[in-house]
């Protein structure tokens, strides 16, 4: 018996770009370029809504003073992974 399968060595381009945009956004955050960071992280989250990207976006939103939006990002991150410690920490910091 011969099994047929398709192997696609090229990952989804949008998802691959989301990791790049997440990293670039985090670099911008470290440089204090918060609007640029938010832009890249929003693009990353649009392509791949995962806990890490959403938590990074929440952290930037909090640093920009948008606590409502930050809380929403942290909540969404925790809805994906209820035990994601960085998102839990982000929520805790917002309450201080």
């Amino acid at each position: 018996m011969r099994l047929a399968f398709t192997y696609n060595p090229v990952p989804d381009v949008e998802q691959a770009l989301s990791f790049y945009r997440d990293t670039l956004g985090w670099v911008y955050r470290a440089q204090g370029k918060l609007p640029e960071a938010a832009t890249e992280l929003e693009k990353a989250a649009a392509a791949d809504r995962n806990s890490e990207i959403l938590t990074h976006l929440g952290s930037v939103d909090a640093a920009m003073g948008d606590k409502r939006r930050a809380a929403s990002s942290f909540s969404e991150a925790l809805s994906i992974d209820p035990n994601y410690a960085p998102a839990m920490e982000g929520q805790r910091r917002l309450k201080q």
Side-chain angles (χ1 to χ4, degrees):
M1 175 196 266
R2 184 178 175 127
L3 298 176
F5 67 93
T6 303
Y7 173 70
N8 183 2
V10 179
D12 179 57
V13 174
E14 289 301 316
Q15 187 174 19
L17 280 175
S18 73
F19 294 115
Y20 165 79
R21 290 185 186 283
D22 176 56
T23 301
L24 181 58
W26 210 234
V27 168
Y28 281 148
R29 181 188 182 278
Q31 294 173 339
K33 298 177 180 178
L34 298 178
E36 293 88 343
T39 297
E40 293 302 326
L41 291 166
E42 287 165 1
K43 290 176 184 177
D48 184 10
R49 297 200 78 76
N50 71 55
S51 294
E52 183 176 20
I53 292 171
L54 290 164
T55 299
H56 287 169
L57 181 57
S59 296
V60 169
D61 288 335
M64 293 175 67
D66 192 341
K67 291 185 176 187
R68 182 191 57 78
R69 202 169 139 179
S72 176
S73 292
F74 293 138
S75 291
E76 187 176 351
L78 290 170
S79 74
I80 295 166
D81 182 354
N83 298 311
Y84 192 61
M88 288 188 281
E89 176 64 17
Q91 277 190 331
R92 186 189 67 73
R93 287 183 180 176
L94 282 179
K95 293 176 183 175
Q96 292 179 343

